[in-house]
Amino acid sequence: MSDRPTARLPRLAPLGTHIAALVAVVLCAGPILLVALASFRMDLFSDISLRPENWTLGNYTALLGDPEVLRWITNSLLVGVAVTVLTVVVDVLAAFAFAKMRFPGRAAAFGLLLATLMLPFSVTLLPTYLIASRLGMVDTYAGLIVPAIAGPLGVYLLRQFILKIPDSLMDAARIDGASQLRIFRSVVLPLCLQPMAVLAIFVFVANWNSFLWPLLMAQSDDLKTITVGMATNNTQFSQNINGTTAMAMLSLVPMAVLFLAFQRYFIRGVLAGAFKG
């Protein structure tokens, strides 16, 4: 009889885990679900019933038929893809140099790189803007893309992964006559696809949701991104809540497509970091 309470404890553990997971899903997905429901309504406050006859696609058709909104989405895609590709390329090259190459001042340079992680974006915002202004990058695509290229966190993460690659693989390639660039392209790069995919997702999401820097750089309507357009479209005296919620749902589509496309690499990359031996 005394063994029954203790025997029930292991059975209750999965139930508690499932309840905790359900609470986490509700807290994370609940606001998004409310925004999605609001985007299918023409008047959010007149009738809160969920009857299908009260739903409409008018908010989405109006947005997709607006050339200005399409231009915002195009700008966000262009800037996000360009920054993501260039950041991954620069970060993996720098990570390979810090991990497997020997050169004077390597430790000091890497320490200085890590020190920049402690600086908040607000500290570097003004100097970066002044440099971009002196170079004539204000109100240009270069001003939206170039300052966001590369990042110390991506270099650090990729360097830690490349350090685990055995030197014997590269030594064997050198014996076969491979150059340093060939070793990087044929040996190191194929092994880094998983962390590169994880980094690409993080960089794209961060740049897609970026607001302050595009707000400073994009001074004309032709260069506005989706986040800046959503913020500046609704003024103090004219607000379209349902249109804004529909625009917010449209802004989630590229990130969802990116995650689904790289989901396999993302999960493997996260698990590789979690179970690092």
Side-chain angles (χ1 to χ4, degrees):
M1 298 292 294
S2 60
D3 293 339
R4 290 183 179 179
T6 58
R8 293 176 181 175
L9 291 178
R11 298 179 181 179
L12 295 177
L15 178 61
T17 303
H18 293 161
I19 294 176
L22 181 61
V23 171
V25 170
V26 171
L27 292 177
C28 294
I32 299 177
L33 180 60
L34 291 178
V35 172
L37 292 176
S39 67
F40 290 101
R41 308 296 300 276
M42 293 303 296
D43 190 350
L44 182 61
F45 301 105
S46 62
D47 185 7
I48 61 174
S49 65
L50 299 179
R51 292 177 296 177
E53 58 268 18
N54 293 329
W55 293 15
T56 179
L57 294 175
N59 296 317
Y60 290 96
T61 56
L63 289 177
L64 295 177
D66 189 346
E68 191 174 32
V69 175
L70 296 179
R71 185 167 59 249
W72 296 344
I73 297 176
T74 302
N75 290 337
S76 294
L77 286 174
L78 177 62
V79 173
V81 171
V83 170
T84 300
V85 173
L86 293 174
T87 298
V88 172
V89 171
V90 173
D91 284 0
V92 72
L93 287 171
F96 175 70
F98 282 121
K100 296 299 183 180
M101 298 180 67
R102 303 291 182 267
F103 54 90
R106 183 185 68 162
F110 187 67
L112 182 62
L113 179 72
L114 293 182
T116 61
L117 287 172
M118 296 181 289
L119 295 176
F121 176 70
S122 57
V123 174
T124 61
L125 177 62
L126 180 58
T128 305
Y129 177 80
L130 292 176
I131 294 174
S133 179
R134 294 288 181 86
L135 295 176
M137 293 184 178
V138 178
D139 204 25
T140 63
Y141 284 109
L144 293 172
I145 296 173
V146 174
I149 295 176
L153 183 59
V155 175
Y156 174 75
L157 294 176
L158 291 175
R159 173 186 175 271
Q160 297 305 111
F161 186 88
I162 295 176
L163 282 175
K164 297 186 297 181
I165 298 177
D167 292 337
S168 58
L169 293 177
M170 291 181 288
D171 292 338
R174 291 190 184 95
I175 294 174
D176 292 338
S179 63
Q180 196 78 340
L181 182 60
R182 178 66 181 275
I183 293 174
F184 170 77
R185 186 175 68 250
S186 302
V187 178
V188 177
L189 198 59
L191 298 175
C192 294
L193 292 180
Q194 294 173 6
M196 288 170 61
V198 175
L199 178 62
I201 293 176
F202 288 155
V203 171
F204 183 84
V205 171
N207 282 274
W208 181 268
N209 293 326
S210 179
F211 173 74
L212 185 56
W213 183 253
L215 180 64
L216 292 176
M217 285 288 104
Q219 298 183 359
S220 63
D221 293 337
D222 292 338
L223 287 178
K224 284 183 178 180
T225 58
I226 185 67
T227 53
V228 177
M230 289 173 59
T232 58
N233 186 46
N234 289 328
T235 64
Q236 181 180 0
F237 304 101
S238 176
Q239 292 187 352
N240 183 1
I241 297 178
N242 298 92
T244 303
T245 56
M247 194 182 306
M249 294 308 300
L250 286 178
S251 68
L252 296 178
V253 173
M255 291 184 287
V257 172
L258 179 68
F259 178 78
L260 292 176
F262 293 95
Q263 182 180 11
R264 179 179 60 181
Y265 297 103
F266 178 78
I267 295 176
R268 289 180 180 178
V270 172
L271 291 178
F275 297 100
K276 180 177 64 176

